Amino acid sequence: MNELLIRQIESFIEEDMIASLSNISACIMMNYDDLNWAGFYLVKNGELLLGPFQGKPACVHIPFDKGVCGKTYREKKTQRVDDVLRIQDHIACDSDSRSELCVPILINEECVAEIDLDSPSFSRFTEKEEKEMIQVAKLLSEAWIKYQWPN
Ligand code: SME
């Protein structure tokens, strides 16, 4: 686990959700190589709504029954996909994407948001990075409660 990266990400957490998530998406994009998208989807009004991100413009609305992000919501479990082209209902926001890491942010076992990372390379994401993003999701879950996000 890259503790330094985790501490750096933690330092970007502050009272405002948009400011925090914006800086964290930039921080992930700068520290992980070979990404084409790094950002957040927020659970709002019965769907996943695009949050702060770095990368090309992306799908604004994702239903819970669609894509890797929808599966992450339904199963409340991290999805590390080595080849998105093999996922039938994968939503290609950027046609360059080949692998994906999607991590739920959970509060009392409810998914409130997701961290989503895309890479133009197959099998880009490691177990170590999966653990790092799960750690970031935990920090964000604590901030969610502490600062009463999304308000
Ligand atoms: N690929 C995701 C959609 C989000 S974009 O990658 C930013 C999915 O299949 O749910």
Side-chain angles (χ1 to χ4, degrees):
M1 180 107 73
N2 183 344
E3 285 298 338
L4 205 64
L5 174 63
I6 304 297
R7 295 289 81 80
Q8 197 184 347
I9 288 174
E10 193 173 18
S11 75
F12 289 122
I13 297 177
E14 58 115 289
E15 203 168 343
D16 188 86
M17 182 187 76
I18 299 291
S20 303
L21 300 185
S22 300
N23 268 337
I24 291 169
S25 59
C27 185
I28 294 169
M29 199 64 156
M30 283 176 70
N31 281 278
Y32 282 2
D33 62 2
D34 201 23
L35 298 187
N36 58 332
W37 206 88
F40 295 89
Y41 276 90
L42 311 170
V43 174
K44 192 176 173 186
N45 299 333
E47 63 171 14
L48 293 158
L49 182 69
L50 182 64
F53 70 96
Q54 299 267 310
K56 287 188 190 167
C59 332
V60 176
H61 306 278
I62 299 181
F64 293 147
D65 61 353
K66 288 270 154 60
V68 175
C69 292
K71 191 172 182 199
T72 304
Y73 176 85
R74 293 192 307 277
E75 298 189 355
K76 299 171 190 177
K77 279 207 181 89
T78 296
Q79 307 294 317
R80 182 153 55 102
V81 181
D82 285 335
D83 180 356
V84 297
L85 303 180
R86 295 175 76 112
I87 305 284
Q88 229 175 20
D89 73 340
H90 169 254
I91 303 165
C93 293
D94 181 344
S95 60
D96 286 343
S97 296
R98 293 293 177 269
S99 57
E100 178 162 1
L101 179 66
C102 191
V103 180
I105 298 172
L106 301 168
I107 296 178
N108 300 327
E109 288 168 42
E110 277 302 305
C111 178
V112 294
E114 298 177 357
I115 303 170
D116 189 34
L117 309 183
D118 290 322
S119 168
S121 300
F122 291 112
S123 305
R124 158 67 188 78
F125 298 100
T126 62
E127 202 179 328
K128 175 177 166 275
E129 288 164 338
E130 180 176 335
K131 284 187 179 142
E132 285 166 357
M133 289 302 105
I134 289 173
Q135 183 60 31
V136 171
K138 266 189 204 141
L139 292 172
L140 288 171
S141 161
E142 286 160 18
W144 216 276
I145 295 164
K146 180 175 175 190
Y147 297 121
Q148 300 184 315
W149 290 348
N151 300 306

